[in-house]
Amino acid sequence: MKKKILAFLLILFPIFSLGVVKADTVKSKYVIASDSSFAPFVFQDSSNEYTGIDMDLIKAIAKDQGFEIEITNPGFDAAISAVQAGQADGIIAGMSVTDARKATFDFSDSYYTANTILGVKESSTIASYEDLKDKTVGVKNGTASQTFLTENQSKYGYKIKTFSDGSSMYDSLNTGAIDAVMDDEPVLKYSISQGQKLKTPIAGTPIGETAFAVKKGTNPELIQMFNKGLANLKANGEFQKILDKYLASEASTTSTNTVDETTIWGLLQNNYKQLLSGLGITLALALISFAIAIVIGIIFGMFSVSPYKSLRLISEIFVDVIRGIPLMILAAFIFWGIPNFIESITGQQSPINDFVAGTIALSLNAAAYIAEIVRGGIQAVPVGQMEASRSLGISYGKTMRKIILPQATKLMLPNFVNQFVIALKDTTIVSAIGLVELFQTGKIIIARNYQSFKMYAILAIFYLVIITLLTRLAKRLEKRIR
Ligand code: ASN
């Protein structure tokens, strides 16, 4: 019954929304997506809280206008996709208002104006765009800076390398993997004021106003509230206070941190809570998805050795399709693609939670491999045994259960352990959809303190310890089952 009502509402909703009256349903809570490292607009402070102009501004506006918000920080590109897929209601991320974007977003009044500018290492000899010939310039995917670089590429002959987040881009510049970066002027200037050894040899190019945005045609009340709130904050001086807090030169240090983050011990001391919570998500992802994968994998594995051709075919198609699609694409398809498709049909936004999407992708992926392990295990038992048992009049099912499977299981066990280790490592791949598991947690920390060598070493050790412990445990279990 409930389902019927829901389906009915789903059909009615687009009809109503096409009508004259715009149903301004004010949501109880708005999800706002943002960048992960884009100081001074949004970045993590030393206590791992997201701060910056954008964070303070949206919170102050929500308070002023009396609406609830939940902020997520998956990175600029992922934030854009989240709004387009209906995972988030709005985006605030130092986002430039461009003509191209106006086709897919509705923007608020502007609260800042920014240029895009080239950044190079202090020691670099690059002094003009012409000097960039055959050099590599880094840029964040989906940004206005990327559009600028693409439009001028043939003129100056540089190579473009795209990044999903600011921290890996600046890391690559620092290590010399790229020769320059293109980013918003306030962002580059801010990082220089924070002691980054960079310079901006060429004057910036205007990329437009900075504003808050929603997906075109959705949440109109959110834009209205933002504009009203912004006007109020400008009138009462609070907006200027927010700007001053991050931009005034005397406020130029973000580090109220007493713990020295340049040592491994300091890094651990300051970030252990965040790392443990990331580890928790990683373990939950791996364990839940592997449990589901075992069930699906065994079903398809049994299908693949079944006497029925149709079942064998179904299993073959499943394995081929899933194995043929990279895990990252599978996750992006489930998280962004499917909600986008459903919305285009029903007109109703139907976001899927990132953890759920990640779990589904990992489960399907591992299930395809497990199905093959099961098939291999069963086929490794000599055919003669099945034939002998059947000729004694024992049924197929019983022979499977009593004779073939007990032997096959023993053969499969080491492969299961192996597959679990792979599944655990694969969790890092689904961080691409903005899921803050252990790897993403590490990247966020690096975005704040640029300690990539030590932080990645810590992550590697975390995974190594966990995988070693779990494999030991699995081996014990394996022995017991044998
Ligand atoms: N200014 C950038 C853009 O609008 C936004 C960002 O990098 N967070 O493309």
Side-chain angles (χ1 to χ4, degrees):
M1 188 61 192
K2 253 192 196 162
K3 269 189 190 157
K4 271 195 189 153
I5 296 176
L6 201 73
F8 187 60
L9 287 178
L10 271 176
I11 294 167
L12 276 188
F13 183 83
I15 299 175
F16 276 131
S17 54
L18 283 176
V20 196
V21 222
K22 191 122 207 162
D24 275 4
T25 37
V26 179
K27 299 186 179 170
S28 60
K29 194 193 243 173
Y30 289 93
V31 179
I32 310 294
S34 188
D35 209 331
S36 53
S37 63
F38 199 57
F41 294 101
V42 43
F43 59 99
Q44 280 197 314
D45 66 11
S46 51
S47 48
N48 298 322
E49 295 289 331
Y50 280 101
T51 48
I53 297 171
D54 286 0
M55 298 294 98
D56 285 10
L57 185 59
I58 190 72
K59 283 179 198 158
I61 288 177
K63 197 169 158 212
D64 182 78
Q65 294 292 306
F67 62 92
E68 287 287 313
I69 52 170
E70 182 193 324
I71 302 177
T72 63
N73 297 76
F76 185 70
D77 192 21
I80 291 253
S81 304
V83 173
Q84 286 303 334
Q87 319 275 7
D89 299 299
I91 170 170
I92 185 159
M95 184 172 174
S96 316
V97 183
T98 63
D99 286 338
R101 284 179 182 162
K102 280 187 195 155
T104 41
F105 289 96
D106 289 331
F107 285 98
S108 71
D109 295 340
S110 118
Y111 60 88
Y112 207 80
T113 313
N115 289 337
T116 180
I117 199 168
L118 193 83
V120 294
K121 272 194 180 174
E122 224 169 46
S123 54
S124 168
T125 54
I126 294 169
S128 67
Y129 287 124
E130 283 74 17
D131 292 343
L132 288 174
K133 188 154 180 40
D134 297 327
K135 297 264 174 6
T136 305
V137 189
V139 71
K140 252 164 37 189
N141 200 21
T143 58
S145 302
Q146 185 187 29
T147 313
F148 173 88
L149 279 184
T150 320
E151 281 170 1
N152 291 288
Q153 187 170 25
S154 54
K155 192 160 149 202
Y156 299 116
Y158 44 73
K159 284 174 251 156
I160 302 175
K161 189 163 164 56
T162 46
F163 294 87
S164 61
D165 62 291
S167 68
S168 43
M169 176 171 82
Y170 282 97
D171 255 355
S172 302
L173 181 64
N174 283 328
T175 56
I178 53 176
D179 306 288
V181 298
M182 198 81 197
D183 205 355
D184 290 20
E185 186 161 348
V187 176
L188 257 156
K189 293 271 162 77
Y190 185 84
S191 67
I192 292 170
S193 80
Q194 295 298 304
Q196 283 292 301
K197 303 225 168 322
L198 305 175
K199 62 181 179 186
T200 53
I202 314 166
T205 307
I207 39 170
E209 299 296 316
T210 304
F212 169 77
V214 295
K215 181 178 177 179
K216 202 171 180 59
T218 67
N219 304 307
E221 76 281 5
L222 196 50
I223 292 287
Q224 278 168 15
M225 292 190 289
F226 189 94
N227 289 343
K228 273 193 205 154
L230 181 62
N232 288 346
L233 298 183
K234 279 186 177 167
N236 67 20
E238 210 181 315
F239 178 68
Q240 193 55 45
K241 263 194 218 149
I242 294 176
L243 290 186
D244 289 348
K245 179 172 162 197
Y246 297 99
L247 298 176
S249 48
E250 62 273 15
S252 69
T253 173
T254 50
S255 191
T256 49
N257 202 0
T258 44
V259 180
D260 177 14
E261 286 205 326
T262 57
T263 64
I264 290 213
W265 177 239
L267 278 171
L268 282 174
Q269 217 179 331
N270 218 28
N271 301 298
Y272 73 94
K273 274 196 202 136
Q274 226 184 341
L275 287 169
L276 287 181
S277 116
L279 178 65
I281 302 280
T282 289
L283 285 176
L285 264 177
L287 292 169
I288 297 175
S289 66
F290 196 69
I292 300 173
I294 288 203
V295 177
I296 306 177
I298 289 180
I299 294 174
F300 281 104
M302 298 302 289
F303 278 8
S304 69
V305 292
S306 141
Y308 302 107
K309 196 166 175 214
S310 54
L311 292 184
R312 292 203 300 272
L313 191 70
I314 291 174
S315 161
E316 207 173 302
I317 292 174
F318 171 77
V319 172
D320 283 351
V321 168
I322 298 294
R323 229 174 22 180
I325 302 173
L327 177 56
M328 200 189 270
I329 294 182
L330 191 62
F333 184 75
I334 295 170
F335 187 62
W336 289 309
I338 292 179
N340 179 274
F341 175 70
I342 294 178
E343 199 198 341
S344 68
I345 290 179
T346 62
Q348 174 78 292
Q349 297 198 328
S350 51
I352 174 171
N353 169 285
D354 54 4
F355 185 84
V356 175
T359 307
I360 297 176
L362 284 167
S363 306
L364 288 174
N365 185 66
Y369 292 95
I370 291 176
E372 284 296 273
I373 295 176
V374 171
R375 184 178 63 85
I378 293 173
Q379 286 177 343
V381 179
V383 257
Q385 299 198 15
M386 173 64 91
E387 284 162 4
S389 164
R390 293 306 301 275
S391 66
L392 290 174
I394 304 172
S395 73
Y396 175 84
K398 200 165 182 195
T399 312
M400 243 326 162
R401 257 181 294 124
K402 294 266 146 94
I403 298 169
I404 311 290
L405 282 183
Q407 301 177 67
T409 311
K410 278 183 200 157
L411 296 168
M412 290 174 212
L413 281 176
N415 294 328
F416 275 144
V417 176
N418 218 8
Q419 191 57 44
F420 178 68
V421 172
I422 294 173
L424 202 137
K425 292 201 266 190
D426 277 353
T427 56
T428 54
I429 295 176
V430 298
S431 69
I433 59 173
L435 192 57
V436 188
E437 37 63 83
L438 185 54
F439 176 48
Q440 183 85 328
T441 307
K443 286 209 291 187
I444 293 171
I445 296 170
I446 294 170
R448 193 188 65 237
N449 58 29
Y450 299 100
Q451 296 294 326
S452 49
F453 174 71
K454 289 176 191 121
M455 201 59 231
Y456 284 130
I458 291 176
L459 288 188
I461 292 170
F462 258 76
Y463 282 105
L464 185 65
V465 170
I466 286 299
I467 289 173
T468 314
L469 286 177
L470 286 174
T471 13
R472 283 276 148 83
L473 192 77
K475 287 234 171 88
R476 265 208 202 158
L477 270 177
E478 190 188 321
K479 253 192 206 151
R480 245 207 234 160
I481 295 175
R482 274 173 197 277

